[in-house]
């Protein structure tokens, strides 16, 4: 894949060198474009050596008038020749300029002339990241369909601790490659995918609730993968702190009851339903209006079961493909098979949630897919975005074998 790597001016610019190398290792032809500020942090020579190509550093850069003229239209040819624009680190200033169409240098003019997929990997001070102006610019850019690779949490060069650290170069490179592959294949065109994600919260009083450790990352990765592959995606999301993926319709809910209502409202249109939400199994039927006081020495709660949304959908699903999740700490395959049968699913994605580094709250997962054809497919440990892609590959195969069996 031919891509442009735009490098913004931030401390993380040095990591862009590692990214250029990682992209090269994954078979990408990388054209680096640096902003003036980026050149204060790292020299073009580093990138030229890593990519074996001239690095673009300004809009008008020729020695002779002819060369200057050629460089003046170069942003258009670079935009036309490349399949993807990746910007890392995307500084607060670059995000603002992209969001508002300011085009005062090579990278920002090239951005306006570019029509392919755009991947932005922001890095900045935590307060700048949290500032309403940056949030608003990110919202505009996400709505425009750009892919935002969230910065990580941790100690920053400026001394603060929090979100703002550029995502790891290998993570950005893997994401870029999988986006490139997906952009080339739109095999979910015409499908409407309904995904549920995250935990539910069941109120105990106006301020307290029962919930679980689901982060919603797996469901959001599935929604994003489906949208990239051409599907219309409706994401019914419990309370999570994730940004809505580009091009996905998000319905926010809190409780199992609200999730059920949202699912049934959109069920008719759906051709594929993926229930990755970790729905709370019990709730308090009559939630008191007042906050409970610490008066009793012991407290017991009487809870009633929440509606089993997956089982209910299973009873009325018709031709739709229905995928359930089984979060287990014991016999994974037996439980996944049991859930597939009792809830009438076409596939159950089983994952262990008591292992370090995978499952709840993790970036990675390792799952086993139990299919209604009797097959079991083990997907080795990988990032949730990658697992999401493989789940859709298997689903499309499954649909073909179900049709053939009819
Ligand atoms: N699920 C649901 N509604 C519920 C509970 C679960 O739709 N009230 C769905 C989940 O979204 C998931 C699947 O059912 O796709 C399995 O969830 P899990 O909690 O693992 O299974 P349970 O049916 O609750 O079984 P158990 O708690 O006995 O393991």
């Amino acid at each position: 894949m031919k891509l442009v790597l735009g490098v913004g001016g931030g401390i993380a610019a040095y990591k862009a060198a590692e990214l250029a190398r990682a992209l090269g290792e994954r078979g990408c032809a990388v054209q680096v474009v640096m902003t003036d500020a980026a050149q204060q942090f790292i020299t073009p020579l580093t990138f030229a050596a890593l990519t074996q190509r001239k690095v673009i550093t300004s809009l008008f850069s020729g020695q002779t008038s002819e060369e200057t003229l050629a460089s003046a239209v170069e942003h258009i040819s670079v935009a036309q020749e490349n399949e993807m624009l990746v910007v890392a680190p995307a500084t607060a200033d670059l995000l603002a300029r992209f969001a508002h169409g300011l085009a005062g240098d090579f990278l920002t003019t090239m951005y306006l002339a570019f029509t392919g997929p755009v991947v932005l990997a922001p890095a900045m001070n935590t307060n700048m990241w949290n500032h309403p102006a940056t949030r608003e610019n990110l919202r505009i850019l996400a709505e425009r369909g750009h892919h935002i690779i969230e910065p990580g949490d941790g100690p920053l060069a400026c001394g603060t601790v929090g979100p703002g650290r550029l995502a790891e170069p290998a993570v950005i490179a893997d994401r870029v490659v999988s986006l490139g592959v997906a952009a080339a294949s739109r095999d979910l065109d015409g499908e409407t995918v309904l995904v549920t994600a995250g935990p539910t919260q069941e109120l105990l009083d106006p301020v307290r609730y029962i919930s679980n450790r689901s982060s919603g990352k797996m469901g959001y990765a599935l929604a994003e993968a489906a949208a990239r592959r051409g599907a219309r995606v409706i994401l019914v999301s419990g309370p999570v702190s994730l940004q809505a993926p580009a091009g996905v319709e998000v319905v926010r809910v809190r409780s199992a009851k609200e999730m059920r209502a949202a699912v049934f409202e959109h069920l008719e249109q759906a051709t594929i339903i993926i229930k990755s939400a970790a729905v709370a199994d019990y709730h308090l039927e009559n939630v008191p209006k007042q906050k409970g006081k610490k008066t009793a020495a012991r407290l017991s709660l009487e809870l009633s079961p929440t509606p089993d949304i997956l089982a209910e959908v299973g009873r009325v699903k018709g031709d739709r493909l229905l995928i359930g999740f089984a979060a287990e700490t014991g016999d994974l395959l037996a439980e996944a098979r049991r859930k597939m049968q009792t809830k009438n699913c076409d596939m159950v994605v089983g994952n262990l949630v008591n292992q370090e580094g995978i499952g709840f709250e993790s970036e990675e997962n390792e799952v086993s897919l139990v299919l209604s054809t009797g097959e079991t497919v083990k997907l080795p440990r990988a990032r949730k975005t990658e697992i999401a892609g493989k789940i859709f590959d298997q689903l499309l195969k499954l649909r073909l074998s179900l049709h053939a069996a009819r």
Side-chain angles (χ1 to χ4, degrees):
M1 174 171 44
K2 290 175 76 169
L3 59 85
V4 173
L5 171 59
V7 183
I11 313 242
Y14 77 94
K15 279 202 198 166
E18 254 177 80
L19 175 61
R21 184 205 296 269
L23 289 167
E25 283 167 359
R26 286 162 179 74
C28 301
V30 183
Q31 170 64 64
V32 173
V33 175
M34 298 178 77
T35 63
D36 285 345
Q39 294 165 59
Q40 302 292 319
F41 289 91
I42 183 165
T43 68
L45 192 59
T46 307
F47 288 104
L50 287 168
T51 60
Q52 300 290 303
R53 262 166 198 267
K54 182 191 96 175
V55 170
I56 300 174
T57 51
S58 75
L59 204 44
F60 309 104
S61 61
Q63 302 285 320
T64 65
S65 59
E66 259 170 33
E67 280 169 3
T68 305
L69 184 61
S71 78
V73 290
E74 198 179 16
H75 58 280
I76 306 294
S77 55
V78 170
Q80 284 167 347
E81 282 162 15
N82 283 281
E83 295 156 73
M84 195 182 285
L85 168 62
V86 182
V87 182
T91 57
D93 173 63
L94 271 177
L95 295 177
R97 290 197 279 151
F98 289 151
H100 299 285
L102 296 175
D105 66 2
F106 192 98
L107 185 57
T108 49
T109 31
M110 190 253 148
Y111 165 79
L112 287 186
F114 186 67
T115 54
V118 176
V119 178
L120 303 168
M124 64 197 72
N125 157 275
T126 300
N127 293 340
M128 292 170 78
W129 173 250
N130 288 332
H131 195 283
T134 306
R135 305 315 305 165
E136 181 59 12
N137 291 332
L138 282 164
R139 190 191 58 75
I140 292 171
L141 295 165
E143 233 165 53
R144 212 170 274 167
H146 300 343
H147 305 278
I148 293 163
I149 304 186
E150 300 268 331
D153 252 26
L156 303 179
C158 53
T160 45
V161 178
R165 224 157 113 143
L166 185 70
E168 285 310 311
V171 170
I172 303 174
D174 284 345
R175 189 81 180 280
V176 163
V177 169
S178 71
L179 282 169
V181 171
S185 76
R186 295 187 51 92
D187 50 6
L188 292 174
D189 241 336
E191 303 277 356
T192 298
V193 180
L194 175 60
V195 183
T196 68
T200 64
Q201 292 177 352
E202 311 300 330
L203 285 179
L204 296 176
D205 69 18
V207 295
R208 304 183 176 96
Y209 57 78
I210 306 176
S211 191
N212 58 63
R213 291 171 52 201
S214 166
S215 62
K217 283 181 186 154
M218 192 65 240
Y220 274 59
L222 284 159
E224 185 179 354
R228 259 192 280 118
R229 288 163 77 150
R232 175 185 170 210
V233 183
I234 304 160
L235 173 61
V236 176
S237 173
V240 295
S241 57
L242 300 173
Q243 203 149 338
V248 166
E249 299 160 45
V250 185
V251 183
R252 297 194 189 277
V253 297
R254 183 178 283 258
S255 65
K257 254 192 185 162
E258 287 174 20
M259 185 170 276
R260 180 189 178 279
V263 166
F264 277 89
E265 193 185 324
H266 295 95
L267 188 62
E268 198 60 40
Q269 310 149 43
T271 54
I272 299 176
I273 304 146
I274 308 184
K275 288 269 333 157
S276 68
V279 185
D281 286 329
Y282 292 93
H283 73 142
L284 191 64
E285 207 131 13
N286 299 307
V287 179
K289 296 252 177 309
Q290 305 293 327
K291 184 181 163 206
K293 286 285 173 199
K294 194 176 59 183
T295 45
R298 294 178 78 84
L299 176 70
S300 42
L301 290 167
E302 193 169 293
L303 302 173
S304 323
T306 53
D308 191 325
I309 310 166
L310 182 60
E312 276 188 59
V313 173
R315 289 195 278 276
V316 297
K317 77 181 193 72
D319 276 348
R320 299 173 183 87
L321 282 178
L322 179 62
I323 296 87
F325 270 67
E328 306 295 338
T329 52
D331 189 347
L332 181 63
L333 290 181
E335 274 304 294
R337 280 195 199 102
R338 181 180 68 80
K339 285 175 189 174
M340 189 176 66
Q341 274 154 10
T342 56
K343 303 194 188 197
N344 195 27
C345 297
D346 299 286
M347 177 194 284
V348 168
V349 181
N351 68 316
L352 288 171
V353 287
N354 56 347
Q355 289 191 358
E356 196 60 30
I358 60 166
F360 279 177
E361 295 171 338
S362 309
E363 292 298 329
E364 295 191 326
N365 216 349
E366 180 182 316
V367 302
S368 292
L369 311 181
V370 172
L371 312 181
S372 57
T373 51
E375 239 184 302
T376 301
V377 181
K378 266 195 96 152
L379 299 182
R381 183 169 172 155
R383 300 189 57 73
K384 286 182 174 171
T385 45
E386 224 174 290
I387 300 265
K390 291 192 175 144
I391 291 176
F392 282 112
D393 294 345
Q394 289 296 329
L395 264 182
L396 291 175
K397 266 202 226 162
L398 176 66
R399 175 178 281 154
L400 288 179
S401 34
L402 292 177
H403 276 293
R406 275 204 193 126

